[in-house]
Amino acid sequence: MKHSLLLLFFSLSMFAQKSVESFDSKKLGEKRQITIGLPASYENNTSKRYPILILFDGEYLFDPFYGALNYGAYWDDLPETIIIGISQNRNNEREEDCAFDPTEGLPTRRASQFFEFIGGELMPYIEQKYRVAPFRIIAGHDTTAGFLNFYLLKENPLFNAYISLSPELAPGINDQITSSLTNTKKQLFYYQSSADGDIRQLREPVEQLDKSLKAITNPLVDYKYSSFSNASHYSLVLYSIPEALYQIFGSYKPISSTEFTEKIVVLKSGYVDYLTTKYTLIENKLGLKIPVRINDFKAIEAAILKNKAYDELDKLADLANKNYPKSMLASYELGLMYEKQGDAKKAAAKYQRASQLEEIGDLTKEMMYNKYDDMKGQTIKK
């Protein structure tokens, strides 16, 4: 067991390529340090595009987000993600970057420059240099968490998802956030958190905002608030990160045993439609076009067999052909359909065809040969 854990953590350490560079900003009139984490598959999978996560307070938020995303991606619960951490630990940078007028609640001149640096310089640079998917996340803690809300107030928000950890909210911004989310015509994710041991001046406005946001009925808004017990202003960060990531990427997860039992196998029909809808949702919500996982194919196949809806294996074969055209999966599903329908001759032909194609998952050439022999034997007997 210990050996397996060591291998797991070694694999996780290889998840991404982490580098630090100095970014010369004309908006700020200075160089800023950014930390870039690229997924392990980035170099080898040259056609794949990745969501992007912009992190304020990169000097202390980068590693916990990096670790959570590494772990989730290892099990394919979370998508591989490009992480950009912005360091703000020199000369009160974070306070100056994210300052607002205490009366009007608007960013100061310096904070406005930082706002433009993110949207006008850093994001275009990252999107030109790296293969990014059209899904952007931004995250911050207290001062920086309050500041990230200003991006939400734009008519066409720059980011798709907002992770606000115990934010220091500007005066009057609660109503503006509520209005933006109420009226948005764009799919948006909004997460905020606090704790019973949080700073009272921060916690009370967050709870007021929570009441307003829970009343929003816009179906395009995916909102979650976490209030942690026995947590402080600082420890709530480690509680919040997985909560936020699994909220935002909830639709990405493969079919679980609970989903199979409670949502799929209980259907009377439409098993393949359920699968296609699931992956369409991933594309529409997250901007990620990914092939249907082999285990998800097997889950739908199991539901079809359990409910004896054998005709649906034809549709499953069509989907397999679209996702894995060079593999034996489609021919196997057709062979299985004919086998269950009692047509051994057609089943044998499909299994023979499958044996000539690429193996995939637990489907092997030997398995197809055996299936072919079984079906051929049945035709001879008849």
Side-chain angles (χ1 to χ4, degrees):
M1 179 65 179
K2 186 180 292 185
H3 180 66
S4 298
L5 287 175
L6 287 173
L7 286 176
L8 170 60
F9 285 113
F10 176 76
S11 298
L12 292 178
S13 69
M14 297 298 289
F15 167 83
Q17 307 155 49
K18 183 178 176 182
S19 62
V20 178
E21 66 178 76
S22 184
F23 187 93
D24 192 1
S25 170
K26 294 181 180 178
K27 299 283 185 183
L28 298 176
E30 64 182 25
K31 291 185 178 181
R32 298 301 290 266
Q33 181 175 294
I34 59 173
T35 304
I36 303 165
L38 297 179
S41 69
Y42 188 86
E43 295 298 332
N44 295 328
N45 195 342
T46 57
S47 63
K48 186 174 181 178
R49 295 187 174 273
Y50 304 83
I52 182 171
L53 168 61
I54 299 293
L55 286 176
F56 294 144
D57 296 314
E59 64 279 357
Y60 71 88
L61 284 186
F62 188 96
D63 284 340
F65 270 96
Y66 181 81
L69 281 164
N70 292 355
Y71 186 83
Y74 181 87
W75 300 110
D76 201 23
D77 272 352
L78 300 173
E80 290 183 300
T81 301
I82 295 174
I83 311 173
I84 309 296
I86 303 166
S87 181
Q88 297 176 280
N89 62 348
R90 292 186 302 114
N91 303 322
N92 297 317
E93 278 178 336
R94 72 192 303 268
E95 286 76 15
E96 294 179 359
D97 288 343
C98 303
F100 54 81
D101 184 285
T103 303
E104 297 181 353
L106 297 174
T108 62
R109 181 174 179 276
R110 171 65 176 184
S112 295
Q113 291 172 335
F114 182 73
F115 183 94
E116 292 297 329
F117 155 66
I118 299 295
E121 290 184 325
L122 183 60
M123 287 298 298
Y125 168 76
I126 296 300
E127 292 181 338
Q128 182 176 12
K129 185 173 181 179
Y130 302 106
R131 299 189 309 277
V132 300
F135 190 81
R136 306 163 176 165
I137 312 167
I138 189 167
H141 180 219
D142 59 49
T143 299
T144 61
F147 181 77
L148 63 80
N149 287 293
F150 289 114
Y151 292 98
L152 181 64
L153 306 185
K154 303 286 284 185
E155 184 175 351
N156 182 27
L158 180 62
F159 296 95
N160 306 88
Y162 300 77
I163 301 176
S164 181
L165 310 178
S166 183
E168 179 184 359
L169 296 167
I173 201 169
N174 281 22
D175 289 342
Q176 297 178 68
I177 294 171
T178 303
S179 177
S180 292
L181 291 176
T182 298
N183 298 308
T184 185
K185 293 178 172 57
K186 176 180 181 179
Q187 175 77 56
L188 293 175
F189 297 84
Y190 192 90
Y191 175 89
Q192 63 172 351
S193 64
S194 185
D196 55 8
D198 201 358
I199 300 168
R200 179 178 295 179
Q201 301 96 297
L202 302 182
R203 181 175 173 82
E204 290 178 354
V206 168
E207 291 181 333
Q208 292 169 8
L209 178 58
D210 173 56
K211 292 179 182 177
S212 299
L213 298 188
K214 281 179 176 172
I216 293 175
T217 58
N218 189 338
L220 293 174
V221 175
D222 190 325
Y223 167 68
K224 183 174 183 178
Y225 171 57
S226 297
S227 179
F228 299 103
S229 300
N230 301 316
S232 69
H233 177 66
Y234 301 102
S235 63
L236 69 84
V237 169
L238 289 179
Y239 290 105
S240 300
I241 289 172
E243 291 269 338
L245 293 175
Y246 276 92
Q247 174 215 354
I248 293 166
F249 292 125
S251 62
Y252 178 84
K253 293 186 296 184
I255 294 172
S256 65
S257 57
T258 301
E259 184 179 3
F260 176 80
T261 302
E262 297 181 358
K263 295 184 178 181
I264 300 174
V265 79
V266 295
L267 295 172
K268 293 183 178 179
S269 62
Y271 307 101
V272 180
D273 289 341
Y274 182 97
L275 187 60
T276 55
T277 298
K278 180 180 178 71
Y279 280 80
T280 299
L281 187 65
I282 294 173
E283 184 174 2
N284 292 343
K285 271 194 167 188
L286 306 176
L288 300 175
K289 189 172 179 62
I290 61 173
V292 177
R293 300 172 178 92
I294 301 303
N295 285 343
D296 287 352
F297 268 107
K298 300 305 289 183
I300 297 302
E301 177 192 302
I304 291 171
L305 295 179
K306 185 174 180 62
N307 289 283
K308 299 181 180 180
Y310 304 133
D311 287 348
E312 288 216 24
L313 290 169
D314 193 359
K315 291 180 67 175
L316 194 60
D318 285 341
L319 190 61
N321 195 45
K322 291 175 183 176
N323 283 265
Y324 302 100
K326 296 181 180 180
S327 82
M328 60 178 60
L329 183 58
S331 293
Y332 163 76
E333 297 294 356
L334 289 175
L336 185 60
M337 179 185 71
Y338 290 127
E339 178 183 348
K340 294 299 181 180
Q341 291 174 339
D343 193 332
K345 183 177 181 180
K346 287 185 177 180
K350 293 302 178 183
Y351 288 139
Q352 184 181 41
R353 167 65 177 159
S355 70
Q356 299 168 6
L357 300 172
E358 294 179 2
E359 297 181 344
I360 186 169
D362 60 357
L363 302 180
T364 64
K365 291 181 181 293
E366 182 179 3
M367 177 183 175
M368 296 307 120
Y369 291 141
N370 291 336
K371 285 278 192 181
Y372 169 76
D373 288 341
D374 288 345
M375 294 299 102
K376 197 66 175 176
Q378 291 185 30
T379 60
I380 293 172
K381 290 178 183 178
K382 291 181 179 181

